[in-house]
Amino acid sequence: FPVCAGGSRAAMHAAAAVGARVLTALAAGLSRGPLARMAEEALGAPPPVFGDLPLGDATSAALRGVGITRPTPIQQAAMMRLFRGEHAVIHSATGSGKTLAYLLPLLQRLHTSRPGQLVVVVPSRELALQTAAAVEWAWPHHGTQRAFLLTNTSAPPAELAEAMRVAACPVVVATPRPLLGAVRHLAGTDRLHSRRALRASGGELAAFAARLRAVVLDEADALLLSRQLALAGPPKKMRAGRAAWRDPAKAGLPSGKGQGGPRQGGRGGGEEGEGYFERAELFTLPVPRAVQ
């Protein structure tokens, strides 16, 4: 709207009258009229949103291209929390859109060209390929590679770390064992639990960690429990874990579906899509060293 400084009183009144007419026209719903087009050109079109989440133009176009116009319930519940930088545990049935529930808000927080800002850890190469493809589809940028796959278990750790450095992708999608090898190489030591050892030789690892904006454990029930541990149950010395395994109420822990013993493959019993996040004993079981 016109703003007059130092002009005559008549000019200021004229400018106010023009502004009032523009506001009246917009309020009257002249969305396709010339005044509305002038306002859009001056103020810019509002940014696209998905639910409450603001999106970039490329991501919004990708969603529209496959007919995704509304977030699923788990996406609606999780996206803004992750966009604000909160920690979250996401649990819902298979096929409910969990991957986009964490990818969309986290990708909007990243710089388009800085390397190594997001690490997504997945239990299998197949899931890593799917996740990397989702990143490339949802976050295109001038034809550049957006996600680096760190899943080669046969390559030396030094080669993996160098390939990751050369690719310089904003997102790294990794399986635990190659990621552990690369982290040990960057740290210059196998003693990742020792702060003294990391201070002495972990300069490259510190630089890698400083660039990170977020870390995601996808299919965390499969990551945090090895098959042997899932089939054997909690260690005997962990009495709280044993109580939770048999009856969570006795351990003062919340109960959930799928309280029976684990099925083959290390996933919790119950309906499809249920995993150990529905089971209280997850929080009393040890984490494998590779995941640490």
Side-chain angles (χ1 to χ4, degrees):
F1 300 114
V3 176
C4 298
S8 66
R9 186 179 299 272
M12 296 179 65
H13 282 298
V18 171
R21 286 197 297 271
V22 172
L23 287 175
T24 302
L26 292 177
L30 298 179
S31 58
R32 299 182 181 179
L35 291 178
R37 287 197 296 270
M38 290 170 56
E40 287 183 359
E41 292 174 0
L43 302 176
V49 294
F50 184 61
D52 295 329
L53 178 70
L55 294 178
D57 292 336
T59 302
S60 178
L63 292 176
R64 291 196 308 269
V66 295
I68 299 178
T69 58
R70 295 181 181 178
T72 64
I74 188 62
Q75 292 167 357
Q76 186 67 42
M79 287 191 304
M80 288 308 297
R81 291 177 176 270
L82 295 177
F83 185 68
R84 290 193 294 263
E86 298 181 19
H87 301 297
V89 175
I90 302 175
H91 175 83
S92 67
T94 301
S96 59
K98 291 189 295 292
T99 301
L100 288 183
Y102 71 77
L103 273 184
L104 290 178
L106 293 180
L107 292 178
Q108 306 313 304
R109 289 171 51 87
L110 304 186
H111 191 278
T112 54
S113 59
R114 293 174 185 166
Q117 302 171 75
L118 170 63
V119 169
V120 182
V121 189
V122 297
S124 68
R125 176 174 171 80
E126 291 74 16
L127 184 56
L129 290 170
Q130 296 174 19
T131 305
V135 172
E136 301 287 356
W137 163 76
W139 200 40
H141 183 66
H142 300 300
T144 57
Q145 183 181 351
R146 317 305 293 142
F148 177 76
L149 277 171
L150 188 60
T151 59
N152 190 345
T153 57
S154 60
E159 183 179 321
L160 293 175
E162 178 63 14
M164 183 170 61
R165 185 191 67 80
V166 171
C169 296
V171 181
V172 176
V173 183
T175 49
R177 194 171 301 278
L179 178 61
L180 177 61
V183 165
R184 283 174 170 166
H185 173 76
L186 294 175
T189 178
D190 290 345
R191 301 176 61 197
L192 299 179
H193 61 282
S194 170
R195 294 184 180 181
R196 180 178 299 177
L198 291 176
R199 281 196 299 267
S201 58
E204 290 187 60
L205 180 61
F208 175 76
R211 292 192 296 266
L212 281 175
R213 301 291 305 275
V215 176
V216 175
L217 302 182
D218 199 351
E219 298 286 352
D221 50 352
L223 284 172
L224 297 176
L225 294 177
S226 66
R227 178 176 178 178
Q228 292 78 10
L229 179 60
L231 293 176
K236 292 182 178 180
K237 63 182 180 180
M238 302 182 67
R239 300 188 181 276
R242 291 171 61 195
W245 189 279
R246 296 173 181 172
D247 185 358
K250 292 182 180 179
L253 298 172
S255 61
K257 298 178 181 179
Q259 296 297 339
R263 297 185 306 211
Q264 189 76 7
R267 296 186 67 89
E271 301 172 358
E272 181 182 2
E274 287 183 344
Y276 278 99
F277 272 132
E278 191 97 8
R279 308 172 58 148
E281 67 268 20
L282 169 69
F283 304 102
T284 64
L285 291 174
V287 177
R289 193 170 195 81
V291 176
Q292 294 182 21

